[in-house]
Amino acid sequence: MSRDLTTLFDPKSVAIIGATDDTSKYGNWIAIRALRGARPVHLVNPRRSTVLGRPTVPDLRTLGEPVDLAVIAVNASRFEDAVDDALVAGVTALVGISAGLGEAGAEGRIRQERLAERIRGAGASLLGPNCLGVLDHTTGLELTSNDLPAGRVALISQSGNIALEIAELGADHGVGFSRFASLGNQADLEVADLVEACALHEGTDAIAVYAEDFRDGRRFIAAATEAARLGKPVVLLAVGRGSASARGAASHTGAMVSSGVVVEAACRAAGVELVSTPTQLVHLLQGLALPRTVRGRAVAVFADGGGQASVASDCVEDAGMAVEEFSSTLRVAVAADLPPAAGLSNPVDVAGGGEQDIGCFPRVLATLTGSAEVDTVVMTGYFGGYGGYSPELGAGELEAAHRIAEVVGAGDKPVVVQTMNHRSAAADILRAARVPVYRSIEDAVWTLRRIVARSVPAGAAPLPPAAAPLIDTGYMQARRVLAEAGLPFVEAVEVTSREQLLATSPALRYPLVLKALGDEHKSDRGGVVLGLPDAGAVLAAYDGLQVRLAPPAVSVEEMADLTGAVELIVGGRWDPRFGPVVLVGLGGVYTEVLRDVRCALGPLDAVAARRLLLDLRGAPLLTGARGRPPIDLDAAADVVACLSTFAAAHPEIAEIECNPVAAGPSGAVCLDARIVLADQQDPSAELKPEQKEQD
């Protein structure tokens, strides 16, 4: 259930616990900004009668009037007392600036968890601790140590310095912020709470998030999916794709970082735009501010220089979009506003037309955006610099910028602008009208590609009820429980002696396969013997396994018909933040070599599983490349869906895998199975395609 954060972003009154005249402390910086606003601000300092020329109180209990929100900026040793004082005084929202709690080790985490429970029990909420504060430009609330430019993007950040870098980049690129919440240690309020609140905020058009730890990842997905449904896209800058960044995040916030593979899967489910740097985040926010969507991949390149027209066209096509030649009708319409030497076929090159008639830019742009042949326009070149030639041309350029803004605002197609004069007055006019402007063409086209690729998020499917926990997960037991769940396997029996082998193998259909059990890498060690045509061959193979490996048991299995089959890996793991994660890929002994895998949050239905399979680079092998018969995709998708549902009902499973799954033209069958429980797992294990048991 969503939490009411009204008093966090729009309190009637505020208290600064730890307010001080010491200009080196947060209690000073935040108090100064708090006093700029119109709401009552109470300064709390037991050692000073005045701070910043204003009277103080020693504590909130002696204040004698209600306070909605308290900012706590005291040493960690005094933090607990400050929380108690605020709760007794009836405060319902707390912002913990203080560091030295959950990020400071086991003892600090215990103190922090105890405090968070007390705060929630009192019906209050805590932002932080170890955070930079909170801000809401729409309500005039400034409780941060630094200024952020005003705008319509909500910024939620677990790192104070990353937030400040994003704010600086935003100021350079015309991106401002409606709200800012510094997550810090997320002792109480977590990223999902803030996304939910900002998605419902009328002053917010998009939500930017920097996160190192998602606490409840499924809640984050639900919140981000709902934000996208409300037209408020979420852009996420997340760390943990590399081991060093994950260590760094854990060291300074005490965060447990989900692997990059899992975060990517979560973002796909929720329609979250995942980026790698603060610069990418701000560039994408510019593009997402466009109040319209892209209907297709047909791009018109509109330039005031032949070189830039060619470079931009190459960038667009390299990004998977099309710069298609215009029809004669559109070429004639464009030519009406340009000199005879202009390029008209796409890209459009004004060929000096800007100096002769700066008004050609909005007129040509109106023609392009009004054409059914064009889905979006990339305008590239020198626009914004013409004022350097003459005052008259400069004035005309500003007028042209206003008219471009009107054209874009009146139309229904996105326009992305790249100009070497991106900090000009003309560029500022465009940005103010929510037309994204970039310094480099690669940034402009990268942003456009991301906008074109956006789709409606499906969200994450609900988890099924938990099943009875598994206890024994050996090879044969794993096969049995998965077969009972609906996964198809070939017939098999386990034997521990020659006598059992002789007694049971005649009931199976030849040819047979022998697998030495108890060896995770049995195929590499010669522990899998294929194609045994009769009882004599089976007995000889069994004796050979005993000599070479002396396995405690052997699985005797019917050999699947692999004619026209493609070997797949189907597996997954349980992520402590996001729950079940499903992996599919090209499998068999070359899984690790090919590394062609895709992941998604589980559970998946057959439709979603089919989409995941078709997203593989090797998907043409599944659909009939170079005369191969196509595999039964429905059967393969059923295997993925069935395994994902089983795994989702068993949170005690750390890893699960069927590799290979033989997917052929007439069905799919699992040829191996492996289940590892959480208490059996190597704590350093990652979700990646490793070479496991193979046939």
Side-chain angles (χ1 to χ4, degrees), residues 336-400:
D337 289 303
L338 293 176
L344 306 174
S345 62
N346 199 17
V348 175
D349 174 16
V350 303
E355 292 89 336
Q356 300 172 34
D357 178 11
I358 196 71
C360 72
F361 285 99
R363 295 197 302 273
V364 171
L365 188 64
T367 299
L368 295 175
T369 56
S371 170
E373 299 177 32
V374 174
D375 295 316
T376 187
V377 178
V378 173
M379 179 173 153
T380 179
Y382 192 73
F383 189 82
Y386 288 95
Y389 295 126
S390 71
E392 294 77 16
L393 197 52
E397 184 175 54
L398 297 182
E399 175 60 26

Short mmCIF file of all heavy atoms in Angstrom, two decimals, residues 336-400:
data_model
loop_
_atom_site.label_atom_id
_atom_site.label_comp_id
_atom_site.label_asym_id
_atom_site.label_seq_id
_atom_site.Cartn_x
_atom_site.Cartn_y
_atom_site.Cartn_z
N ALA A 336 10.45 24.76 -51.86
CA ALA A 336 9.79 26.06 -51.91
C ALA A 336 10.40 27.05 -50.91
O ALA A 336 10.28 28.26 -51.10
CB ALA A 336 8.30 25.90 -51.65
N ASP A 337 11.06 26.56 -49.87
CA ASP A 337 11.60 27.45 -48.84
C ASP A 337 13.12 27.48 -48.81
O ASP A 337 13.70 28.04 -47.87
CB ASP A 337 11.09 27.01 -47.45
CG ASP A 337 9.61 27.29 -47.27
OD1 ASP A 337 9.23 28.47 -47.41
OD2 ASP A 337 8.85 26.35 -46.99
N LEU A 338 13.78 26.90 -49.81
CA LEU A 338 15.24 26.81 -49.78
C LEU A 338 15.84 27.29 -51.10
O LEU A 338 15.17 27.28 -52.14
CB LEU A 338 15.66 25.36 -49.51
CG LEU A 338 15.30 24.80 -48.12
CD1 LEU A 338 15.69 23.34 -48.03
CD2 LEU A 338 15.98 25.61 -47.02
N PRO A 339 17.13 27.67 -51.08
CA PRO A 339 17.79 28.11 -52.31
C PRO A 339 17.98 26.94 -53.28
O PRO A 339 17.89 25.77 -52.88
CB PRO A 339 19.13 28.65 -51.82
CG PRO A 339 19.35 28.03 -50.49
CD PRO A 339 18.00 27.84 -49.90
N PRO A 340 18.27 27.24 -54.54
CA PRO A 340 18.37 26.18 -55.56
C PRO A 340 19.41 25.12 -55.25
O PRO A 340 19.26 23.96 -55.66
CB PRO A 340 18.74 26.96 -56.84
CG PRO A 340 18.22 28.34 -56.60
CD PRO A 340 18.38 28.59 -55.13
N ALA A 341 20.49 25.48 -54.53
CA ALA A 341 21.56 24.50 -54.27
C ALA A 341 21.25 23.56 -53.11
O ALA A 341 22.04 22.67 -52.81
CB ALA A 341 22.86 25.25 -53.98
N ALA A 342 20.14 23.73 -52.47
CA ALA A 342 19.83 22.95 -51.28
C ALA A 342 19.65 21.47 -51.61
O ALA A 342 19.23 21.11 -52.71
CB ALA A 342 18.56 23.48 -50.62
N GLY A 343 19.99 20.62 -50.65
CA GLY A 343 19.72 19.20 -50.76
C GLY A 343 18.31 18.91 -50.28
O GLY A 343 17.90 19.36 -49.21
N LEU A 344 17.55 18.14 -51.06
CA LEU A 344 16.12 18.01 -50.81
C LEU A 344 15.64 16.59 -50.55
O LEU A 344 14.51 16.40 -50.10
CB LEU A 344 15.34 18.56 -52.01
CG LEU A 344 15.67 19.98 -52.46
CD1 LEU A 344 14.92 20.29 -53.74
CD2 LEU A 344 15.31 20.99 -51.37
N SER A 345 16.47 15.60 -50.84
CA SER A 345 15.94 14.24 -50.89
C SER A 345 15.92 13.53 -49.54
O SER A 345 15.29 12.49 -49.41
CB SER A 345 16.76 13.40 -51.89
OG SER A 345 18.11 13.32 -51.44
N ASN A 346 16.56 14.03 -48.53
CA ASN A 346 16.75 13.47 -47.19
C ASN A 346 18.11 12.75 -47.15
O ASN A 346 18.24 11.66 -47.72
CB ASN A 346 15.64 12.50 -46.78
CG ASN A 346 15.60 12.30 -45.26
OD1 ASN A 346 16.17 13.07 -44.49
ND2 ASN A 346 14.91 11.26 -44.82
N PRO A 347 19.11 13.39 -46.51
CA PRO A 347 18.96 14.55 -45.65
C PRO A 347 18.70 15.84 -46.42
O PRO A 347 19.06 15.97 -47.59
CB PRO A 347 20.31 14.62 -44.93
CG PRO A 347 21.28 13.99 -45.89
CD PRO A 347 20.52 12.88 -46.54
N VAL A 348 18.08 16.80 -45.70
CA VAL A 348 17.86 18.14 -46.23
C VAL A 348 19.01 19.03 -45.79
O VAL A 348 19.35 19.08 -44.61
CB VAL A 348 16.53 18.72 -45.71
CG1 VAL A 348 16.35 20.16 -46.18
CG2 VAL A 348 15.36 17.86 -46.16
N ASP A 349 19.63 19.70 -46.74
CA ASP A 349 20.73 20.63 -46.45
C ASP A 349 20.33 22.00 -46.97
O ASP A 349 20.09 22.17 -48.17
CB ASP A 349 22.01 20.14 -47.12
CG ASP A 349 23.17 21.13 -46.98
OD1 ASP A 349 23.07 22.04 -46.12
OD2 ASP A 349 24.15 20.99 -47.73
N VAL A 350 20.25 22.99 -46.07
CA VAL A 350 19.80 24.33 -46.49
C VAL A 350 20.82 25.03 -47.36
O VAL A 350 20.49 26.03 -48.02
CB VAL A 350 19.44 25.21 -45.28
CG1 VAL A 350 18.37 24.56 -44.42
CG2 VAL A 350 20.67 25.53 -44.44
N ALA A 351 22.08 24.55 -47.35
CA ALA A 351 23.10 25.04 -48.29
C ALA A 351 23.22 26.56 -48.29
O ALA A 351 23.11 27.21 -49.33
CB ALA A 351 22.80 24.54 -49.70
N GLY A 352 23.42 27.13 -47.11
CA GLY A 352 23.57 28.58 -47.02
C GLY A 352 22.26 29.33 -46.92
O GLY A 352 22.25 30.56 -46.82
N GLY A 353 21.17 28.61 -46.92
CA GLY A 353 19.88 29.28 -46.85
C GLY A 353 19.65 29.99 -45.54
O GLY A 353 18.86 30.94 -45.47
N GLY A 354 20.31 29.56 -44.47
CA GLY A 354 20.13 30.20 -43.17
C GLY A 354 20.59 31.64 -43.17
O GLY A 354 19.92 32.52 -42.61
N GLU A 355 21.73 31.92 -43.78
CA GLU A 355 22.22 33.30 -43.83
C GLU A 355 21.32 34.18 -44.68
O GLU A 355 21.12 35.36 -44.40
CB GLU A 355 23.65 33.33 -44.39
CG GLU A 355 24.69 32.69 -43.50
CD GLU A 355 24.87 31.20 -43.77
OE1 GLU A 355 23.91 30.59 -44.29
OE2 GLU A 355 25.93 30.66 -43.43
N GLN A 356 20.77 33.59 -45.75
CA GLN A 356 19.91 34.38 -46.64
C GLN A 356 18.52 34.61 -46.04
O GLN A 356 17.95 35.69 -46.19
CB GLN A 356 19.76 33.65 -47.98
CG GLN A 356 21.07 33.43 -48.72
CD GLN A 356 20.90 32.54 -49.94
OE1 GLN A 356 19.87 32.59 -50.60
NE2 GLN A 356 21.90 31.73 -50.23
N ASP A 357 18.00 33.59 -45.38
CA ASP A 357 16.64 33.68 -44.84
C ASP A 357 16.55 32.75 -43.63
O ASP A 357 16.24 31.57 -43.77
CB ASP A 357 15.62 33.29 -45.91
CG ASP A 357 14.19 33.32 -45.38
OD1 ASP A 357 13.97 33.83 -44.26
OD2 ASP A 357 13.30 32.81 -46.09
N ILE A 358 16.84 33.27 -42.44
CA ILE A 358 16.84 32.44 -41.23
C ILE A 358 15.46 31.87 -40.95
O ILE A 358 15.31 30.84 -40.28
CB ILE A 358 17.35 33.28 -40.03
CG1 ILE A 358 17.75 32.37 -38.86
CG2 ILE A 358 16.32 34.30 -39.61
CD1 ILE A 358 18.99 31.58 -39.09
N GLY A 359 14.45 32.48 -41.51
CA GLY A 359 13.09 31.99 -41.31
C GLY A 359 12.80 30.69 -42.04
O GLY A 359 11.73 30.09 -41.84
N CYS A 360 13.76 30.24 -42.88
CA CYS A 360 13.53 28.97 -43.58
C CYS A 360 13.50 27.79 -42.61
O CYS A 360 12.86 26.77 -42.90
CB CYS A 360 14.59 28.75 -44.66
SG CYS A 360 16.24 28.35 -44.02
N PHE A 361 14.17 27.93 -41.46
CA PHE A 361 14.22 26.80 -40.52
C PHE A 361 12.83 26.41 -40.02
O PHE A 361 12.44 25.24 -40.13
CB PHE A 361 15.16 27.12 -39.36
CG PHE A 361 16.62 27.04 -39.72
CD1 PHE A 361 17.34 28.18 -40.03
CD2 PHE A 361 17.27 25.81 -39.77
CE1 PHE A 361 18.68 28.10 -40.37
CE2 PHE A 361 18.60 25.73 -40.11
CZ PHE A 361 19.32 26.87 -40.42
N PRO A 362 12.07 27.31 -39.46
CA PRO A 362 10.73 26.89 -39.00
C PRO A 362 9.81 26.49 -40.15
O PRO A 362 8.97 25.59 -39.99
CB PRO A 362 10.20 28.11 -38.25
CG PRO A 362 11.01 29.26 -38.73
CD PRO A 362 12.35 28.71 -39.06
N ARG A 363 9.96 27.11 -41.33
CA ARG A 363 9.06 26.76 -42.43
C ARG A 363 9.33 25.34 -42.93
O ARG A 363 8.42 24.56 -43.15
CB ARG A 363 9.20 27.77 -43.57
CG ARG A 363 8.74 29.18 -43.21
CD ARG A 363 8.51 30.02 -44.45
NE ARG A 363 9.69 30.13 -45.29
CZ ARG A 363 10.65 31.05 -45.15
NH1 ARG A 363 10.56 31.96 -44.17
NH2 ARG A 363 11.68 31.09 -45.98
N VAL A 364 10.61 25.02 -43.13
CA VAL A 364 10.95 23.67 -43.58
C VAL A 364 10.59 22.65 -42.51
O VAL A 364 10.07 21.56 -42.81
CB VAL A 364 12.45 23.58 -43.94
CG1 VAL A 364 12.86 22.13 -44.21
CG2 VAL A 364 12.76 24.45 -45.15
N LEU A 365 10.84 23.00 -41.26
CA LEU A 365 10.50 22.08 -40.17
C LEU A 365 9.00 21.80 -40.16
O LEU A 365 8.57 20.64 -39.96
CB LEU A 365 10.94 22.67 -38.83
CG LEU A 365 10.83 21.73 -37.63
CD1 LEU A 365 11.76 20.54 -37.80
CD2 LEU A 365 11.17 22.48 -36.35
N ALA A 366 8.19 22.81 -40.39
CA ALA A 366 6.74 22.61 -40.44
C ALA A 366 6.36 21.68 -41.59
O ALA A 366 5.47 20.82 -41.45
CB ALA A 366 6.03 23.95 -40.58
N THR A 367 7.03 21.82 -42.71
CA THR A 367 6.76 20.93 -43.85
C THR A 367 7.10 19.49 -43.51
O THR A 367 6.35 18.56 -43.81
CB THR A 367 7.56 21.39 -45.07
OG1 THR A 367 7.16 22.73 -45.43
CG2 THR A 367 7.33 20.46 -46.26
N LEU A 368 8.26 19.29 -42.88
CA LEU A 368 8.70 17.93 -42.57
C LEU A 368 7.81 17.28 -41.52
O LEU A 368 7.40 16.12 -41.67
CB LEU A 368 10.15 17.96 -42.07
CG LEU A 368 11.20 18.42 -43.09
CD1 LEU A 368 12.57 18.52 -42.43
CD2 LEU A 368 11.25 17.46 -44.27
N THR A 369 7.52 17.99 -40.45
CA THR A 369 6.69 17.39 -39.40
C THR A 369 5.25 17.19 -39.85
O THR A 369 4.53 16.37 -39.29
CB THR A 369 6.71 18.25 -38.13
OG1 THR A 369 6.27 19.59 -38.44
CG2 THR A 369 8.10 18.30 -37.52
N GLY A 370 4.84 17.92 -40.88
CA GLY A 370 3.48 17.77 -41.38
C GLY A 370 3.34 16.67 -42.41
O GLY A 370 2.23 16.40 -42.87
N SER A 371 4.45 16.01 -42.78
CA SER A 371 4.40 14.99 -43.82
C SER A 371 4.18 13.61 -43.21
O SER A 371 4.79 13.24 -42.20
CB SER A 371 5.71 14.99 -44.61
OG SER A 371 5.77 13.86 -45.46
N ALA A 372 3.35 12.81 -43.86
CA ALA A 372 3.12 11.44 -43.42
C ALA A 372 4.34 10.55 -43.67
O ALA A 372 4.42 9.45 -43.14
CB ALA A 372 1.91 10.86 -44.16
N GLU A 373 5.30 11.04 -44.46
CA GLU A 373 6.51 10.26 -44.73
C GLU A 373 7.51 10.31 -43.58
O GLU A 373 8.49 9.56 -43.56
CB GLU A 373 7.20 10.78 -45.99
CG GLU A 373 6.36 10.69 -47.24
CD GLU A 373 7.07 11.28 -48.45
OE1 GLU A 373 8.32 11.20 -48.49
OE2 GLU A 373 6.38 11.82 -49.33
N VAL A 374 7.29 11.21 -42.63
CA VAL A 374 8.27 11.48 -41.57
C VAL A 374 7.67 11.15 -40.22
O VAL A 374 6.56 11.57 -39.90
CB VAL A 374 8.71 12.96 -41.61
CG1 VAL A 374 9.62 13.30 -40.44
CG2 VAL A 374 9.39 13.27 -42.95
N ASP A 375 8.43 10.38 -39.41
CA ASP A 375 8.00 10.09 -38.04
C ASP A 375 8.63 11.02 -37.03
O ASP A 375 8.02 11.32 -35.99
CB ASP A 375 8.35 8.65 -37.67
CG ASP A 375 7.59 7.64 -38.51
OD1 ASP A 375 6.38 7.84 -38.71
OD2 ASP A 375 8.21 6.67 -38.98
N THR A 376 9.84 11.47 -37.31
CA THR A 376 10.53 12.38 -36.41
C THR A 376 11.61 13.12 -37.18
O THR A 376 12.01 12.69 -38.27
CB THR A 376 11.13 11.63 -35.20
OG1 THR A 376 11.66 12.56 -34.27
CG2 THR A 376 12.25 10.71 -35.65
N VAL A 377 12.10 14.22 -36.61
CA VAL A 377 13.09 15.06 -37.29
C VAL A 377 14.30 15.24 -36.40
O VAL A 377 14.18 15.53 -35.20
CB VAL A 377 12.51 16.44 -37.66
CG1 VAL A 377 13.57 17.31 -38.34
CG2 VAL A 377 11.29 16.29 -38.56
N VAL A 378 15.48 15.07 -37.00
CA VAL A 378 16.74 15.45 -36.35
C VAL A 378 17.24 16.70 -37.06
O VAL A 378 17.56 16.66 -38.25
CB VAL A 378 17.79 14.33 -36.43
CG1 VAL A 378 19.13 14.83 -35.91
CG2 VAL A 378 17.34 13.11 -35.65
N MET A 379 17.27 17.80 -36.33
CA MET A 379 17.77 19.06 -36.88
C MET A 379 19.21 19.23 -36.38
O MET A 379 19.47 19.18 -35.18
CB MET A 379 16.88 20.21 -36.42
CG MET A 379 17.31 21.57 -36.91
SD MET A 379 16.04 22.81 -36.46
CE MET A 379 17.08 24.28 -36.38
N THR A 380 20.14 19.43 -37.28
CA THR A 380 21.55 19.41 -36.90
C THR A 380 22.34 20.51 -37.59
O THR A 380 22.00 20.93 -38.70
CB THR A 380 22.17 18.04 -37.25
OG1 THR A 380 23.56 18.04 -36.90
CG2 THR A 380 22.04 17.72 -38.73
N GLY A 381 23.34 21.01 -36.89
CA GLY A 381 24.23 21.98 -37.51
C GLY A 381 24.61 23.17 -36.66
O GLY A 381 25.07 23.03 -35.53
N TYR A 382 24.35 24.37 -37.21
CA TYR A 382 24.90 25.60 -36.66
C TYR A 382 23.86 26.49 -36.00
O TYR A 382 24.19 27.53 -35.43
CB TYR A 382 25.58 26.38 -37.81
CG TYR A 382 26.44 27.53 -37.35
CD1 TYR A 382 27.66 27.31 -36.74
CD2 TYR A 382 26.02 28.85 -37.55
CE1 TYR A 382 28.45 28.37 -36.33
CE2 TYR A 382 26.80 29.92 -37.15
CZ TYR A 382 28.02 29.67 -36.54
OH TYR A 382 28.80 30.71 -36.14
N PHE A 383 22.61 26.11 -36.04
CA PHE A 383 21.55 26.99 -35.54
C PHE A 383 21.85 27.42 -34.11
O PHE A 383 22.23 26.61 -33.26
CB PHE A 383 20.19 26.28 -35.60
CG PHE A 383 19.03 27.19 -35.30
CD1 PHE A 383 18.50 28.00 -36.29
CD2 PHE A 383 18.49 27.25 -34.02
CE1 PHE A 383 17.44 28.84 -36.03
CE2 PHE A 383 17.42 28.08 -33.75
CZ PHE A 383 16.89 28.89 -34.75
N GLY A 384 21.67 28.71 -33.85
CA GLY A 384 22.03 29.29 -32.56
C GLY A 384 23.27 30.14 -32.65
O GLY A 384 23.56 30.91 -31.72
N GLY A 385 24.01 30.05 -33.76
CA GLY A 385 25.24 30.82 -33.90
C GLY A 385 25.17 31.93 -34.93
O GLY A 385 26.14 32.68 -35.12
N TYR A 386 24.01 32.06 -35.59
CA TYR A 386 23.92 33.06 -36.66
C TYR A 386 23.99 34.48 -36.14
O TYR A 386 24.33 35.41 -36.88
CB TYR A 386 22.62 32.85 -37.46
CG TYR A 386 22.65 31.62 -38.33
CD1 TYR A 386 22.12 30.42 -37.87
CD2 TYR A 386 23.21 31.66 -39.60
CE1 TYR A 386 22.15 29.28 -38.66
CE2 TYR A 386 23.24 30.53 -40.40
CZ TYR A 386 22.72 29.33 -39.92
OH TYR A 386 22.75 28.22 -40.70
N GLY A 387 23.65 34.67 -34.87
CA GLY A 387 23.72 36.02 -34.31
C GLY A 387 25.11 36.59 -34.30
O GLY A 387 25.30 37.81 -34.17
N GLY A 388 26.12 35.73 -34.44
CA GLY A 388 27.50 36.23 -34.49
C GLY A 388 27.84 36.95 -35.77
O GLY A 388 28.86 37.65 -35.83
N TYR A 389 27.00 36.79 -36.79
CA TYR A 389 27.28 37.45 -38.06
C TYR A 389 26.79 38.90 -38.09
O TYR A 389 27.44 39.77 -38.64
CB TYR A 389 26.63 36.66 -39.20
CG TYR A 389 27.22 35.29 -39.39
CD1 TYR A 389 26.41 34.16 -39.40
CD2 TYR A 389 28.58 35.10 -39.57
CE1 TYR A 389 26.92 32.89 -39.57
CE2 TYR A 389 29.12 33.84 -39.74
CZ TYR A 389 28.29 32.74 -39.74
OH TYR A 389 28.82 31.49 -39.91
N SER A 390 25.62 39.13 -37.50
CA SER A 390 25.10 40.49 -37.47
C SER A 390 23.97 40.57 -36.46
O SER A 390 23.30 39.56 -36.20
CB SER A 390 24.57 40.91 -38.86
OG SER A 390 23.37 40.20 -39.16
N PRO A 391 23.73 41.76 -35.88
CA PRO A 391 22.60 41.90 -34.95
C PRO A 391 21.27 41.57 -35.61
O PRO A 391 20.39 40.98 -34.98
CB PRO A 391 22.67 43.36 -34.53
CG PRO A 391 24.10 43.77 -34.76
CD PRO A 391 24.54 42.99 -35.96
N GLU A 392 21.13 41.95 -36.88
CA GLU A 392 19.87 41.70 -37.56
C GLU A 392 19.62 40.19 -37.71
O GLU A 392 18.52 39.70 -37.47
CB GLU A 392 19.87 42.35 -38.95
CG GLU A 392 19.91 43.87 -38.93
CD GLU A 392 21.30 44.42 -38.63
OE1 GLU A 392 22.27 43.63 -38.74
OE2 GLU A 392 21.40 45.62 -38.27
N LEU A 393 20.69 39.45 -38.09
CA LEU A 393 20.55 38.02 -38.24
C LEU A 393 20.30 37.36 -36.88
O LEU A 393 19.54 36.39 -36.77
CB LEU A 393 21.79 37.42 -38.90
CG LEU A 393 21.67 36.01 -39.50
CD1 LEU A 393 20.48 35.90 -40.42
CD2 LEU A 393 22.96 35.64 -40.21
N GLY A 394 20.93 37.91 -35.85
CA GLY A 394 20.72 37.38 -34.50
C GLY A 394 19.28 37.55 -34.05
O GLY A 394 18.67 36.63 -33.47
N ALA A 395 18.70 38.71 -34.31
CA ALA A 395 17.30 38.94 -33.94
C ALA A 395 16.38 38.01 -34.72
O ALA A 395 15.42 37.45 -34.18
CB ALA A 395 16.93 40.40 -34.20
N GLY A 396 16.68 37.81 -36.00
CA GLY A 396 15.88 36.90 -36.80
C GLY A 396 15.99 35.46 -36.31
O GLY A 396 15.02 34.70 -36.36
N GLU A 397 17.20 35.11 -35.84
CA GLU A 397 17.39 33.75 -35.33
C GLU A 397 16.54 33.50 -34.08
O GLU A 397 15.95 32.42 -33.92
CB GLU A 397 18.86 33.51 -35.02
CG GLU A 397 19.18 32.10 -34.57
CD GLU A 397 20.66 31.91 -34.40
OE1 GLU A 397 21.29 32.69 -33.64
OE2 GLU A 397 21.22 30.97 -35.00
N LEU A 398 16.49 34.48 -33.19
CA LEU A 398 15.66 34.32 -31.99
C LEU A 398 14.19 34.20 -32.36
O LEU A 398 13.46 33.39 -31.78
CB LEU A 398 15.88 35.50 -31.04
CG LEU A 398 17.29 35.66 -30.46
CD1 LEU A 398 17.34 36.83 -29.50
CD2 LEU A 398 17.73 34.38 -29.76
N GLU A 399 13.76 34.98 -33.34
CA GLU A 399 12.38 34.87 -33.80
C GLU A 399 12.15 33.49 -34.42
O GLU A 399 11.11 32.85 -34.21
CB GLU A 399 12.09 35.96 -34.83
CG GLU A 399 10.72 35.86 -35.48
CD GLU A 399 9.56 35.96 -34.48
OE1 GLU A 399 9.75 36.57 -33.40
OE2 GLU A 399 8.48 35.42 -34.78
N ALA A 400 13.14 32.99 -35.17
CA ALA A 400 13.02 31.66 -35.77
C ALA A 400 12.94 30.59 -34.69
O ALA A 400 12.20 29.61 -34.83
CB ALA A 400 14.20 31.40 -36.71
#
